[in-house]
């Protein structure tokens, strides 16, 4: 069992950048898919991006494609989400998750979730 832990959230101006990190203290992402989801106020949680850790295949939601970039540090077992050209609609609590599902994009396939980190984009 892994327990994701997010960091890096905060306040950023529209058009700016922010990098989120996710670790699994004492464990490894190997054998898991690792993902970022987000939940904006009054909305359901939605998929942002994910990676099949071992093969490195990445998936992105259309809303963040070409603006957000996933990367990983295998040695440190860290998942990063580089957020560039952020928009007001990116304001949300961002959750890191780990799971062993087939598609790597479906929320139901993720068993382990972090507490979330708040990202607020100011106009």
């Amino acid at each position: 069992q892994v327990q994701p832990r997010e960091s890096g959230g905060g306040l950023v101006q529209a058009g700016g950048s922010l990098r989120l990190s996710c670790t699994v203290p004492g464990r490894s992402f190997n054998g898991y898919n690792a993902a970022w989801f987000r939940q904006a106020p009054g909305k359901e949680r939605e998929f942002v991006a994910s990676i099949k850790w071992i093969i490195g295949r990445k998936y992105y939601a259309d809303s963040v494609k070409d603006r957000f970039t996933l990367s990983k540090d295998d040695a440190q077992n860290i998942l990063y989400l580089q957020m560039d050209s952020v928009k007001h609609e990116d304001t949300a609590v961002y959750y890191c998750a780990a799971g062993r599902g087939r598609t790597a994009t479906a929320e139901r396939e993720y068993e382990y979730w972090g507490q979330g980190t708040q990202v607020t984009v100011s106009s």
Side-chain angles (χ1 to χ4, degrees):
Q1 179 172 331
V2 296
Q3 182 55 58
R5 182 178 298 171
E6 307 93 341
S7 62
L11 179 65
V12 58
Q13 284 192 326
S17 298
L18 200 64
R19 190 177 76 165
L20 306 183
S21 301
C22 178
T23 60
V24 284
R27 300 301 300 271
S28 170
F29 277 117
N30 279 338
Y32 290 90
N33 302 324
W36 291 97
F37 289 79
R38 66 186 182 186
Q39 186 167 21
K43 295 187 176 181
E44 293 189 353
R45 190 156 55 187
E46 64 176 3
F47 170 77
V48 176
S50 65
I51 184 170
K52 289 184 178 283
W53 194 267
I54 292 178
I55 64 175
R57 184 170 182 178
K58 303 174 187 178
Y59 305 82
Y60 294 94
D62 287 343
S63 59
V64 306
K65 200 173 295 183
D66 299 326
R67 297 189 300 119
F68 291 8
T69 304
L70 270 180
S71 62
K72 64 185 178 81
D73 182 326
D74 286 293
Q76 302 279 348
N77 280 294
I78 303 174
L79 176 69
Y80 296 107
L81 182 68
Q82 178 67 39
M83 305 168 61
D84 296 319
S85 302
V86 296
K87 305 175 181 179
H88 180 70
E89 50 263 44
D90 294 322
T91 295
V93 177
Y94 283 71
Y95 296 91
C96 179
R100 297 178 185 269
R102 181 178 60 84
T103 69
T105 59
E107 183 175 345
R108 66 181 182 277
E109 294 185 345
Y110 288 88
E111 304 102 295
Y112 308 109
W113 293 82
Q115 294 297 309
T117 185
Q118 175 70 47
V119 172
T120 303
V121 181
S122 63
S123 302

